[in-house]
């Protein structure tokens, strides 16, 4: 149990276009999900906290108008990178908090390449 | 506020040798501590976690870690390295509960030499 999936696993898009990444908790409901970003050979940095039915809370320095987060249901959160640029190329990982509240479960990640 | 320091961005061990990956943390509240492993182009897999209770925590694949409050440390060990252990390892800390953000260390890349 406690599986989190992400779709797509890999996406290539052209500069200036938008791309949506989905994060799903498959076997539990998650009121809270988190979005992280990982640059090559670096650690994960929290981008935002997503709470079902409310606006996401962004970390300092993260552009909320560029990285749109929607947590419309208890099993789905989406991250939309708007007007993507090559510097947005990164590995994006989501996590979902299990209702037991003890732990976040991480998705397998989505690699975004902007050309 | 919380932070994690992993000493050594690269660690090399011989197959069969002891694995020791160091992690020190800082937290203003009682911490939850985690070790994750990441293989190339993959997500994170939880190795083990400390929340409360027993300070020696056993995880998957023969790994264990000991929470030492006095030293603010949570070092990861494995008695005998296997080739399949070669990966990136991240130590992480959060305030108690899964609804708090997780702060990751910079990672340690483990190389296992045959």
């Amino acid at each position: 149990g406690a599986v989190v999936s992400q779709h797509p696993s890999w996406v290539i898009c052209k500069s200036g276009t938008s791309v949506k990444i989905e994060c799903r908790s498959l076997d539990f409901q998650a009121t809270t999900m988190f979005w992280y970003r990982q640059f090559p050979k670096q650690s994960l940095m929290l981008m935002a906290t997503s709470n079902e039915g409310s606006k996401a809370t962004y970390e300092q320095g993260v552009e909320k108008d560029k990285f749109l987060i929607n947590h419309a249901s208890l099993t789905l959160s989406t991250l939309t990178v708007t007007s993507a640029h090559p510097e947005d190329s990164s590995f994006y990982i989501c996590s979902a908090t299990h209702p037991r509240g003890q732990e976040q479960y991480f998705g397998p990640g989505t690699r975004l390449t902007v050309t | 506020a919380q932070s994690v320091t992993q000493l050594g961005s690269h660690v090399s061990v011989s197959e069969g040798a002891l694995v020791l990956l160091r992690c020190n943390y800082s937290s203003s509240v009682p911490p939850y501590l985690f070790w994750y492993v990441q293989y190339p182009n993959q997500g994170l897999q939880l190795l083990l976690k400390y929340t409360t209770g027993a300070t020696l925590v056993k995880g998957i694949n023969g790994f264990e870690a000991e929470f030492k409050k006095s030293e603010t440390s949570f070092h990861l060990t494995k008695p005998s390295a296997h080739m399949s252990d070669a990966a990136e390892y991240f130590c992480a800390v959060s305030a108690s509960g899964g609804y708090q953000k997780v702060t990751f260390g910079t990672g340690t890349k483990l190389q296992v030499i045959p």
Side-chain angles (χ1 to χ4, degrees):
Chain A
V3 178
V4 176
S5 70
Q6 285 185 237
H7 178 79
S9 57
W10 200 311
V11 58
I12 301 173
C13 70
K14 292 186 177 180
S15 185
T17 62
S18 296
V19 61
K20 180 184 288 187
I21 302 169
E22 295 184 347
C23 175
R24 294 182 184 272
S25 55
L26 298 185
D27 50 1
F28 65 98
Q29 294 184 329
T31 57
T32 302
M33 292 184 174
F34 299 83
W35 286 95
Y36 296 83
R37 181 174 182 176
Q38 184 180 30
F39 289 104
K41 302 186 186 303
Q42 295 187 30
S43 187
L44 286 79
M45 300 297 293
L46 180 67
M47 298 175 66
T49 302
S50 168
N51 291 297
E52 187 267 339
S54 63
K55 291 183 178 180
T57 302
Y58 291 81
E59 294 297 298
Q60 190 172 8
V62 177
E63 299 176 63
K64 59 182 66 176
D65 293 331
K66 181 170 187 61
F67 298 99
L68 300 180
I69 292 172
N70 187 330
H71 193 161
S73 79
L74 289 172
T75 59
L76 173 65
S77 177
T78 61
L79 168 67
T80 301
V81 183
T82 63
S83 186
H85 291 282
E87 56 265 30
D88 298 323
S89 299
S90 189
F91 195 51
Y92 293 88
I93 301 178
C94 72
S95 69
T97 299
H98 195 280
R100 287 194 303 264
Q102 295 290 313
E103 183 181 333
Q104 294 176 27
Y105 291 87
F106 285 83
T110 296
R111 183 161 302 283
L112 170 64
T113 301
V114 184
T115 61
Chain B
Q2 54 205 24
S3 65
V4 174
T5 301
Q6 290 184 243
L7 297 176
S9 58
H10 288 80
V11 171
S12 293
V13 300
S14 298
E15 190 175 16
L18 171 72
V19 175
L20 171 60
L21 304 183
R22 299 179 185 275
C23 172
N24 288 89
Y25 71 91
S26 172
S27 178
S28 56
V29 297
Y32 279 22
L33 294 161
F34 310 86
W35 274 100
Y36 291 91
V37 62
Q38 185 179 37
Y39 294 96
N41 296 313
Q42 294 187 28
L44 300 177
Q45 181 181 11
L46 179 68
L47 283 176
L48 49 78
K49 64 181 179 184
Y50 168 81
T51 55
T52 59
T55 56
L56 181 62
V57 180
K58 295 186 184 297
I60 62 173
N61 301 338
F63 285 95
E64 62 181 38
E66 186 171 11
F67 170 61
K68 292 187 176 182
K69 184 178 179 180
S70 61
E71 299 178 9
T72 60
S73 69
F74 191 58
H75 301 330
L76 181 71
T77 62
K78 181 175 180 178
S80 177
H82 192 273
M83 294 300 294
S84 61
D85 295 327
E88 187 95 26
Y89 292 80
F90 292 97
C91 181
V93 63
S94 74
S96 57
Y99 294 97
Q100 306 297 321
K101 73 174 187 179
V102 178
T103 300
F104 289 85
T106 51
T108 297
K109 187 170 186 177
L110 176 65
Q111 180 184 19
V112 181
I113 303 168

